[in-house]
Amino acid sequence: MSLFRDDGIVLRTQKLGEADRIITLLTRGHGRVRAVARGVRRTKSKFGARLEPFSHVDVQFFARGSELIGRGLPLCTQTETIAPYGQGIVADYARYTAGTAMLETAERFTDHEGEPNVQQYLLLVGGLRTLSAGDHAPGLVLDAFLLRSLAMGGYAPSFDDCAKCGLHGPNRFFSVASGGVVCGDCRVPGSVVPSPETLRLLGALLTGDWATADASEARHAREGTGLVSAYLHWHMERGLRSLRYVDRTTGPAAERRPGPDHPGPDHPGPDSDHSQPPDPDADPGPESQPPAEPWARRP
């Protein structure tokens, strides 16, 4: 019987029995760990709320053997909150869907339990911290996290030099199977030609140039998201289930849609003449009359 202590991020939870849960964490020193938290679903639980997704916690484990990862699941006996990132994430739908995709990505890139992956752990902590602060668009934070996770897994894409022959860029064509941009001589069937601004945006997300990323336009961000998703699906062999629910409509450079906060032709502002209520005694005019039946006889 041994006690282990480590800090980690809660990736997901599963119900177990009537009042217990299986907690999946990405820890600093032990990689991905699954542990049983007893009684956390009861209303009187002392640390049940701390073991929720997006939480950065310091956990004490109790294992029956000499190693944390053994034949049975360890027990969570004590939990202390380091940073409650979930407070700033679950309140916004765009942040929540992006954060859920980040948690699933981190779990997919740590296939084996008990194998430390400090780089992936630190990347997840930094990504959730940035997402919770709201300094950048959630879609850009997610794309940057996906690109850097792929780079740490050995699938770093090239957005400047040719991925095949190494010809110095900029190069026009992008091939998912080839590993990024390719030159005209190395072009393969199925290559696409994204805009130079999109490739510049993806390169900025990979290197952490947020000044360039935040100044990008919405259409370039959407095009870059499609390239990142295709590249991720190709190298992971199956896509992320949570990626389809990610909200891509918000961002610093997102296009304004007509609405109560952004006046447009369908939603006039408060200073417009059309914002006054209609007069019930006024003549509706010929444009508001109901259309005549097709079989009605014309005079």
Side-chain angles (χ1 to χ4, degrees):
M1 298 182 181
S2 305
L3 291 176
F4 300 88
R5 198 172 191 90
D6 204 347
D7 56 292
I9 297 289
V10 180
L11 300 180
R12 62 189 177 97
T13 61
Q14 297 172 270
K15 293 182 180 179
L16 179 66
E18 296 182 357
D20 305 337
R21 276 180 180 166
I22 298 178
I23 312 297
T24 303
L25 304 99
L26 179 59
T27 62
R28 179 191 297 268
H30 299 87
R32 184 163 61 92
V33 175
R34 290 192 308 154
V36 176
R38 293 182 175 176
V40 294
R41 292 166 55 193
R42 296 192 180 101
T43 56
K44 297 182 179 181
S45 176
K46 296 181 179 180
F47 61 94
R50 302 173 187 173
L51 294 175
E52 293 292 337
F54 309 111
S55 298
H56 189 195
V57 293
D58 179 35
V59 187
Q60 178 176 282
F61 302 100
F62 171 77
R64 299 186 180 276
S66 59
E67 297 181 357
L68 179 60
I69 305 301
R71 300 181 60 181
L73 296 179
L75 300 179
C76 293
T77 58
Q78 186 179 0
T79 304
E80 298 292 339
T81 302
I82 299 177
Y85 296 129
Q87 293 182 358
I89 294 178
V90 300
D92 183 76
Y93 180 76
R95 297 183 194 175
Y96 175 76
T97 53
T100 303
M102 293 167 62
L103 296 183
E104 185 180 357
T105 303
E107 185 175 3
R108 291 282 298 277
F109 275 97
T110 53
D111 295 335
H112 304 286
E113 297 185 14
E115 294 184 0
N117 193 342
V118 181
Q119 290 184 343
Q120 186 68 52
Y121 167 77
L122 295 177
L123 179 63
L124 181 61
V125 172
L128 293 180
R129 183 188 301 116
T130 304
L131 190 65
S132 177
D135 297 333
H136 309 287
L140 297 180
V141 176
L142 175 60
D143 289 341
F145 179 82
L146 296 178
L147 289 174
R148 298 179 193 182
S149 297
L150 287 166
M152 288 189 301
Y155 307 110
S158 175
F159 299 115
D160 189 25
D161 298 339
C162 179
K164 282 192 170 184
C165 66
L167 179 66
H168 294 291
N171 293 285
R172 296 180 53 196
F173 308 101
F174 186 89
S175 174
V176 173
S178 300
V181 294
V182 292
C183 60
D185 297 335
C186 299
R187 180 186 179 185
V188 296
S191 301
V192 297
V193 186
S195 62
E197 293 80 5
T198 300
L199 296 178
R200 194 177 302 114
L201 167 63
L202 295 179
L205 293 176
L206 182 60
T207 58
D209 185 4
W210 286 106
T212 302
D214 292 336
S216 62
E217 299 182 7
R219 56 192 180 96
H220 299 146
R222 288 194 298 267
E223 187 178 19
T225 296
L227 296 179
V228 173
S229 300
Y231 194 84
L232 178 72
H233 291 180
W234 174 270
H235 290 284
M236 297 188 68
E237 297 183 356
R238 57 190 179 96
L240 301 176
R241 293 179 298 176
S242 56
L243 201 60
R244 70 185 67 177
Y245 303 107
V246 175
D247 184 10
R248 300 284 187 174
T249 60
T250 58
E255 297 177 356
R256 286 189 173 185
R257 296 185 176 182
D261 299 331
H262 305 290
D266 297 332
H267 298 272
D271 298 333
S272 174
D273 296 338
H274 300 284
S275 61
Q276 301 297 330
D279 186 2
D281 299 331
D283 185 10
E287 297 182 356
S288 61
Q289 295 294 338
E293 294 80 357
W295 57 85
R297 181 178 298 179
R298 296 182 180 180

